[in-house]
Amino acid sequence: MRYANALSEKDTQELDQLYANIKAKTATVLGYPVAMDFDYSELYRFLQFPVNNIGDPFIESTYGISTRAMEAEVLDFFARLYRAEQGGWWGYITNGGSEGNMYGLYLARELYPKAMVYYSESTHYSVQKNLHLLDMPSIAIRTKENGEIDYEDLHDTIRMNRNMPVIVFANIGTTMTEARDDIRKIKSIFKDLAIHHYYIHADAALTGGYCSYTDPCPAFDFEDGIDSLSVSGHKFIGSPIPCGIVLVKKSHRDRIANSVAYIGTVDTTITGSRNGITPLFLWYAIKRYGLEGFKLRTERCLQVAAYAVEAFNKIGLAAWRNEQAITVVFAEIPKALCLKWQLASDNGRTHIICMPGITEERIDLLVQDILLTASHSKEETFNLIIKQK
Ligand SMILES: *Cc1c(COP(=O)(O)O)cnc(C)c1O
């Protein structure tokens, strides 16, 4: 590096401290959906280059340092997995599930500028911000106890606004309980109310990473009737850099394609520059796991989730999970424990997510901590847990 100095001793120390901190924190994650079993060291050499997949992944740009071919392969893998019509889909690798959700809503708005958006009250917090940015009117629908959309409330609410086109933002795995809205049931509501102008987006951020491999498999994909789908790459698949995949029906994307002379391609994505490294991670994961490997990884996570439900119930902490879900829900536990195990809480409930890389041993450590809190006062427990680290 010309003109650059070696790091000072202090700066080096700061880096080393950060490394140690991150490593330690990684060993006590239980509440956030990030896979921890990846090893992309074979790809580190690509970090030497200013890789950038700017513009449409399927149209060459005049900027040549890109991983477009790999990006297209990744998209093809997921288009097949989510049963998109051959030749009838389009997509790109995003910066995460939220961007893909925003993209789906953007296309929906271009298609139906006067539509009403319906989403359940268990929807991810980022969606309201996106609706605000896109200036789309929306109505929140009640959820059932397990976090799934209340179909009756959806039916009644759409009926009251039946003069407007309908956009449903469906959850395929809610953030808190991993509940899945049933696309076929939603479509039957449209049929019942004779709604012909509608658009369904599936937010499959976490669950989309694995639910195709489960039996039963939720009704969530293109064959079931969606128009677009977003899934996170750094959740179930695993990536050191946040990323995601958005897939849409090709006809929707064609409505917004504008050619841009400066980059020599079509500006069909939300951002300008796009990450060219994350498609490489996803490509590598697909090549190494294949369908069979992803399936085995899924089974392993479901096994750990079943183990966790049993382990919590055995010590008197009522725990449950949705069918074929890797998220285990239970009543909020003491704050010190939530801090240590990085558990998100909402409305008196909390959860752990049995992601790839989480083992029964980690569940056992949490169970031990819970038992410990049961036999001490709040104050004592806090000190105990914090000191233990
Ligand atoms: C994580 C999550 C998101 C956001 O995805 P990011 O990849 O973090 O942008 C959206 N919806 C649901 C249901 C999620 O679990």
Side-chain angles (χ1 to χ4, degrees), residues 256-387:
I256 58 131
N258 289 313
S259 183
V260 180
Y262 177 70
I263 54 171
T265 178
V266 183
D267 193 22
T268 37
T269 64
I270 293 211
T271 63
S273 287
R274 290 194 306 112
N275 199 318
I277 298 295
T278 48
L280 218 47
F281 294 151
L282 300 178
W283 178 87
Y284 187 81
I286 289 170
K287 293 292 165 179
R288 294 218 39 202
Y289 292 124
L291 283 174
E292 196 50 38
F294 280 129
K295 189 155 194 277
L296 290 171
R297 244 165 126 242
T298 301
E299 281 165 10
R300 177 75 187 115
C301 292
L302 289 168
Q303 205 175 31
V304 175
Y307 177 87
V309 170
E310 201 171 312
F312 293 146
N313 284 327
K314 215 184 267 173
I315 61 165
L317 180 64
W320 61 276
R321 64 186 175 119
N322 273 303
E323 190 182 22
Q324 304 283 11
I326 61 174
T327 299
V328 175
V329 187
F330 45 96
E332 212 173 318
I333 53 179
K335 185 129 185 275
L337 287 180
C338 291
L339 279 175
K340 178 179 173 185
W341 294 101
Q342 299 161 59
L343 308 182
S345 310
D346 179 47
N347 256 328
R349 286 199 298 204
T350 189
H351 66 198
I352 61 162
I353 310 178
C354 302
M355 298 299 289
I358 302 278
T359 58
E360 286 86 351
E361 286 74 51
R362 200 176 289 198
I363 308 292
D364 288 343
L365 289 172
L366 172 59
V367 167
Q368 266 177 32
D369 275 354
I370 295 171
L371 286 173
L372 198 65
T373 61
S375 54
H376 293 83
S377 75
K378 261 191 194 161
E379 201 71 15
E380 280 171 341
T381 306
F382 197 85
N383 292 333
L384 270 171
I385 306 274
I386 297 300
K387 274 194 199 127

Side-chain angles (χ1 to χ4, degrees), residues 33 95-99 101 124 126-127 171-175 203 205-206 232-235 243:
N95 291 301
S98 312
E99 183 184 339
N101 286 339
H124 193 258
S126 63
V127 174
N171 289 305
I172 311 304
T174 57
T175 310
D203 175 3
L206 162 64
S232 303
H234 57 286
K235 289 186 174 175
C243 57

